[in-house]
Amino acid sequence: MAVTVRPMTAADGPAVLRIYQAGLDTELASFETVAPSWEEFDKGRLPEHRFVAVDETDTVLGWVAVSTVSSRRVYAGVVEHSVYVDPAAHRRGVGLLLLQALIASTEAAGIWTIQSGIFPENVASLRLHEKAGFRVIGIRHHPGRMQRPGGPWRDVVLMERRSPHVYPA
């Protein structure tokens, strides 16, 4: 299966939200349980750093997008990302392709840190992020609970990737 990555468009919205909901349904991806409307999704993510992975027929296989972490100027080079892959496309390298596209895009824009919070039970996501150059920077103990009646409190592994080009060590 040939997979390419291209910028996300509003026309991708239904597929993006379907894949998002599939990830939420696992309860391994987010405290949220219901994907937002396209309008909410669109409003909360930076348009220049949104990508979809598609197959030869332009079927969306996954997506990645970023949000700002703060309105303070000092954090202008820090974003938080989400990456979701259609369950039918798992273990095909789609997530890594999306993260690579995101890294290239954010570095070109001068962003020095991409961060994410991942549930410790989501071993596949932790491994994917490590493969893409992210590192664990800490664990937040029970910062929130699943957004359903009686939902459990969850830990979150904090991961980040510092750009060696924008933020040289």
Side-chain angles (χ1 to χ4, degrees), residues 119-159:
F119 292 143
E121 299 85 1
N122 195 343
V123 175
S125 186
L126 293 169
R127 287 187 182 144
L128 167 65
H129 284 81
E130 286 174 359
K131 188 180 269 191
F134 286 73
R135 66 186 178 98
V136 173
I137 59 170
I139 297 176
R140 296 182 73 193
H141 179 69
H142 293 172
R145 63 190 304 172
M146 296 303 295
Q147 295 299 299
R148 61 173 166 76
W153 290 91
R154 306 285 294 274
D155 290 347
V156 174
V157 178
L158 299 175
M159 297 191 80

Side-chain angles (χ1 to χ4, degrees), residues 8 11 40 45 49 65 67 70 78 80 84 88 93 108 113-114 125 130 152 164:
M8 183 188 297
E40 290 175 88
R45 287 154 185 90
H49 305 293
S67 303
S70 175
V78 182
E80 184 169 16
Y84 285 77
T113 300
I114 304 170
S125 186
E130 286 174 359

Side-chain angles (χ1 to χ4, degrees), residues 2-38:
V3 177
T4 58
V5 175
R6 62 168 174 76
M8 183 188 297
T9 68
D12 298 316
V16 166
L17 296 179
R18 178 186 53 77
I19 292 167
Y20 196 178
Q21 187 61 56
L24 297 178
D25 290 345
T26 69
E27 293 195 353
L28 289 175
S30 174
F31 288 107
E32 302 299 326
T33 57
V34 178
S37 68
W38 176 253

Side-chain angles (χ1 to χ4, degrees), residues 56-75:
E56 309 87 12
T57 65
D58 206 41
T59 298
V60 177
L61 305 173
W63 61 271
V64 66
V66 301
S67 303
T68 58
V69 297
S70 175
S71 60
R72 293 179 60 198
R73 185 180 164 124
V74 69
Y75 295 113

